Amino acid sequence: MTLLRSLLFALLFYALTTLMVFPGLLVAVASRRGISRYARAWGRMYLWLARVVLGVRMRIEGEVPAMPVLVAAKHESAYETLALLALINDPIIVLKRELADIPLFGRLTRRHGVIPVDRAASAGALRAMLQAADEAKAQHRAVLIFPEGTRVPRGRAPRLQSGFAGLYARLALPVVPVATDAGIAWPRGLMKRPGVVTLRFCEAIPAGLPRKEIEPAVHGAINALNG
């Protein structure tokens, strides 16, 4: 039964996502805010399918930030990525440049608002990221980052990527860490398990802290459910 549900979820999600791409291009041309609302609807569709088809429900602890902040989240699965897109109002998302370069989908992400990160981490790539951060701050929008850099298996807690500290300093915004245990129900691969995924929005950490303070504070907070 779990396998059948997982297959049905994958079929429905990717079919509906494909159907949403082309209308999304029209929405993107008409309105930048419109594509943000469209993306939020996509995230909510994902959560609805997860709940109805897979029996995966979401539990929110703490308060979802309403003001422009830097949201630093644990990344164990695709679940929390789209859950945060659905929950946070109009966030700019830090993501790998190759995702922002995917035909059609990449155009939608750039229209929505992204800060692309180059894995090469060259000086030019860093300057481009910081310039995008300046533009994000000027728009008075929240910024969503997965500071460990990539999706990690349940139980792993790699150190934060160096770009996080640079972005934190450049934005000069409070940080709201987000811990999750999504990897339990949503491991890598096709098979998903029924259960409850917790998203814990931790207390905001003020802007302006030195790197030696902000990095351990964020690392500890986002891994609070990593038991």
Side-chain angles (χ1 to χ4, degrees):
M1 182 61 72
T2 300
L3 175 59
L4 290 176
R5 287 186 175 190
S6 298
L7 286 169
L8 179 59
F9 172 84
L11 176 64
L12 290 174
F13 174 68
Y14 287 111
L16 290 171
T17 296
T18 301
L19 291 173
M20 290 180 72
V21 167
F22 293 101
L25 292 171
L26 297 177
V27 174
V29 170
S31 167
R32 207 288 307 161
R33 286 287 299 181
I35 197 59
S36 179
R37 289 190 290 269
Y38 199 78
R40 202 170 191 182
W42 179 52
R44 288 171 174 168
M45 180 266 290
Y46 181 86
L47 297 177
W48 182 82
L49 285 175
R51 185 177 69 251
V52 172
V53 177
L54 297 172
V56 176
R57 296 176 288 112
M58 179 172 58
R59 175 172 58 216
I60 299 172
E61 297 180 356
E63 294 187 11
V64 179
M67 302 295 290
V69 294
L70 177 58
V71 179
K74 183 72 177 179
H75 190 16
E76 292 187 350
S77 71
Y79 186 91
E80 69 273 359
T81 305
L82 292 184
L84 291 169
L85 180 63
L87 291 170
I88 300 169
N89 182 35
D90 198 22
I92 290 176
I93 304 169
V94 180
L95 82 173
K96 293 178 289 188
R97 180 175 295 277
E98 48 264 45
L99 293 177
D101 291 339
I102 295 173
L104 299 183
F105 178 79
R107 180 174 296 182
L108 290 175
T109 64
R110 289 180 181 274
R111 179 62 166 156
H112 176 275
V114 298
I115 299 176
V117 177
D118 195 325
R119 285 182 173 180
S122 64
L126 180 59
R127 284 194 298 270
M129 185 187 78
L130 295 179
Q131 181 180 356
D134 291 338
E135 296 171 0
K137 186 175 181 180
Q139 294 178 43
H140 304 288
R141 296 167 65 187
V143 175
L144 171 61
I145 186 172
F146 298 98
E148 291 174 338
T150 189
R151 180 173 54 181
V152 297
R154 180 75 186 155
R156 294 280 302 279
R159 65 185 182 88
L160 305 191
Q161 296 294 302
S162 58
F164 167 75
L167 192 63
Y168 167 74
R170 189 69 164 227
L171 289 170
L173 292 173
V175 180
V176 174
V178 181
T180 186
D181 57 2
I184 297 174
W186 215 272
R188 187 184 292 269
L190 174 66
M191 294 287 288
K192 311 304 177 197
R193 306 185 184 100
V196 178
V197 170
T198 299
L199 289 179
R200 178 182 293 172
F201 290 84
C202 304
E203 186 174 345
I205 302 172
L209 296 179
R211 183 174 181 175
K212 64 181 180 181
E213 294 183 23
I214 188 60
E215 284 192 337
V218 168
H219 189 264
I222 68 174
N223 286 288
L225 298 176
N226 194 13

